[in-house]
């Protein structure tokens, strides 16, 4: 993952930043006293934001925020979670550029919106 990020310049730490962010999210989720999906997702989203490193970490935290928002509204629909996550991630970046994780997220959201079987194929690829 570190070698994949070359926009706007190769920085060599994208994967490391995302790993740290997701580890912090997981730690917060595991410490959630309420074991309901919405509460665990909220704890994970908070942990991701608090532990976010670099732009990629912040963007990842916003994707988890979308999941949290969808579950808080009583939704268990990946389409809604990805749509909300994509919207939050785009809003978190001052000057979104094509060819970044935001582009990948928009493509994933499009595929998820089309239906479960196509989304599973993409996520397994």
């Amino acid at each position: 993952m570190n070698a994949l990020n070359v926009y706007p310049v190769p920085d060599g730490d994208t994967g490391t930043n995302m790993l740290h962010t997701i580890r912090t999210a997981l730690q917060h989720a595991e410490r959630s006293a309420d074991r309901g999906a919405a509460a665990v997702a909220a704890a994970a989203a908070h942990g991701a934001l608090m532990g976010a490193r670099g732009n990629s970490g912040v963007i990842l935290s916003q994707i988890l925020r979308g999941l949290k928002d969808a579950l808080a509204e009583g939704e268990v629909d990946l389409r809604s979670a990805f749509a909300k996550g994509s919207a939050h991630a785009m809003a978190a970046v001052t000057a979104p550029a094509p060819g970044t994780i935001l582009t990948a997220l928009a493509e994933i959201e499009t595929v998820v919106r089309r239906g479960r079987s196509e989304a599973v194929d993409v996520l397994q690829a």
Side-chain angles (χ1 to χ4, degrees):
M1 187 63 120
N2 287 341
L4 291 175
N5 187 22
V6 294
Y7 181 88
V9 293
D11 59 14
D13 65 354
T14 298
T16 304
N17 289 343
M18 293 176 78
L19 178 62
H20 178 76
T21 302
I22 205 71
R23 280 184 176 159
T24 307
L26 182 59
Q27 289 168 356
H28 279 73
E30 288 173 339
R31 289 196 301 254
S32 175
D34 183 339
R35 301 311 297 164
V40 172
H46 176 75
L49 184 58
M50 294 298 102
R53 286 191 184 170
N55 290 337
S56 58
V58 172
I59 291 168
L60 180 57
S61 76
Q62 296 308 295
I63 295 168
L64 293 177
R65 179 180 169 199
L67 175 62
K68 172 202 65 112
D69 289 352
L71 289 170
E73 294 171 5
E75 300 174 32
V76 253
D77 182 6
L78 272 183
R79 290 178 291 252
S80 176
F82 272 106
K84 291 174 189 313
S86 183
H88 290 316
M90 289 295 278
V93 177
T94 306
T100 65
I101 189 172
L102 295 171
T103 303
L105 180 58
E107 290 298 317
I108 291 169
E109 178 195 351
T110 299
V111 170
V112 168
R113 208 173 333 124
R114 287 186 194 141
R116 184 187 181 286
S117 61
E118 192 170 332
V120 169
D121 291 344
V122 168
L123 294 173
Q124 289 178 342

